[in-house]
Amino acid sequence: MENDIIKIYNELYSQYGMQNWWPGESQFEIIVGAILTQNTSWNNVSKAIDNLKRHDLMDLESFANADPDLIKKLITPAGFYNIKQKRLTAFINYLINHKDNFNRFYQLPIADIRKELLSINGIGKETADSILLYGFERPIFVIDAYTKRLFSRLGFSWMKKATYDEIQQFFMDNLPLDSKLFNEYHALIVVHCKALCKKKPLCSECHITCPSQSNK
Ligand code: SF4
């Protein structure tokens, strides 16, 4: 099983190469991006992040002191701006309440820091794990709809009905505990699903070894 998961990774890597995720110039920006990207495309998130940067709001102190209505206006391209402004504010308050320069993100056991993040309003498992993996290089595998879709098609049909935790445990059990590998693997899954393994897959253009190859 472990060999299968690594083989799929190698095939994706040889097709798409290194992805160098996450796009973000600072840990604060990665946190903001992980919250803004809920239920929208990265293209829309980029526009919101550019707006925040143009107003010099991409740091904790400036963001915390900004007018909430201005934040809502600037993040409008990312959609759900009322909810997302509240989620960003909840996260900012969490950071302000723990004035330790992100040290806890590195130092707490991963289960403990994850539990803290999940207790923040609006932070779900995918967002918490994205922040930990991409912002702080903690070895935790991020699961999303693309992961379910791709691996269901690659022969792991049980994933269609599996929970986030079950799928995550599967990857964690079958891969070396390596944040760089987890980073790259999740990025490659997303890239492949956007390029070829779409809702309606473009199998004739795909070089991945796949039980759905009969579609090719
Ligand atoms: S062959 Fe088709 S279903 Fe299989 S991974 Fe490629 S695009 Fe997806």
Side-chain angles (χ1 to χ4, degrees):
M1 187 64 67
E2 185 178 333
N3 285 346
D4 290 345
I5 305 302
I6 291 289
K7 184 168 164 260
I8 293 165
Y9 171 80
N10 287 334
E11 288 187 332
L12 288 168
Y13 189 88
S14 62
Q15 187 154 339
Y16 298 101
M18 181 81 83
Q19 298 303 307
N20 296 311
W21 273 26
W22 176 297
E25 292 169 1
S26 67
Q27 288 165 322
F28 185 75
E29 186 177 328
I30 290 171
I31 290 169
V32 171
I35 294 170
L36 289 179
T37 201
Q38 295 169 343
N39 302 310
T40 194
S41 71
W42 186 258
N43 203 23
N44 294 332
V45 175
S46 283
K47 290 176 192 158
I49 285 178
D50 286 347
N51 287 344
L52 291 168
K53 283 183 175 172
R54 263 196 295 278
H55 284 74
D56 292 324
L57 293 177
M58 198 47 87
D59 67 87
L60 179 56
E61 198 176 347
S62 310
F63 197 105
N65 292 321
D67 177 353
D69 286 335
L70 174 62
I71 299 286
K72 285 180 194 174
K73 190 172 156 207
L74 298 177
I75 65 171
T76 296
F80 305 101
Y81 56 86
N82 278 315
I83 294 172
K84 289 184 179 176
Q85 183 272 328
K86 283 195 178 72
R87 289 179 179 175
L88 287 167
T89 299
F91 207 103
I92 298 313
N93 289 338
Y94 163 80
L95 294 175
I96 289 171
N97 289 336
H98 296 94
K99 297 177 189 166
D100 59 3
N101 294 321
F102 295 131
N103 286 342
R104 68 195 310 91
F105 286 83
Y106 293 110
Q107 291 170 353
L108 286 181
I110 200 157
D112 293 353
I113 183 65
R114 188 173 189 260
K115 199 170 165 192
E116 276 192 12
L117 298 189
L118 291 174
S119 72
I120 302 170
N121 181 32
I123 303 301
K125 291 174 181 176
E126 185 184 335
T127 306
D129 293 341
S130 297
I131 289 169
L132 290 171
L133 177 63
Y134 288 103
F136 300 93
E137 297 179 19
R138 300 301 300 265
I140 188 142
F141 204 90
V142 177
I143 305 300
D144 62 1
Y146 292 131
T147 316
K148 271 193 174 196
R149 182 202 294 167
L150 176 60
F151 282 82
S152 299
R153 290 171 175 172
L154 288 174
F156 303 89
S157 56
W158 60 269
M159 285 195 195
K160 278 185 200 159
K161 292 192 176 168
T163 64
Y164 186 101
D165 292 342
E166 287 166 346
I167 300 173
Q168 182 178 63
Q169 196 60 53
F170 170 80
F171 282 99
M172 305 279 287
D173 287 345
N174 286 288
L175 289 171
L177 203 63
D178 177 346
S179 61
K180 286 196 171 47
L181 173 65
F182 290 1
N183 172 327
E184 201 57 42
Y185 207 152
H186 176 67
L188 288 165
I189 291 167
V190 174
V191 167
H192 180 57
C193 285
K194 284 185 174 174
L196 297 177
C197 203
K198 301 167 184 259
K199 280 186 183 159
K200 195 170 174 200
L202 304 174
C203 299
S204 60
E205 297 172 37
C206 180
H207 301 296
I208 305 296
T209 309
C210 175
S212 305
Q213 296 185 47
S214 53
N215 297 343
K216 291 182 183 179

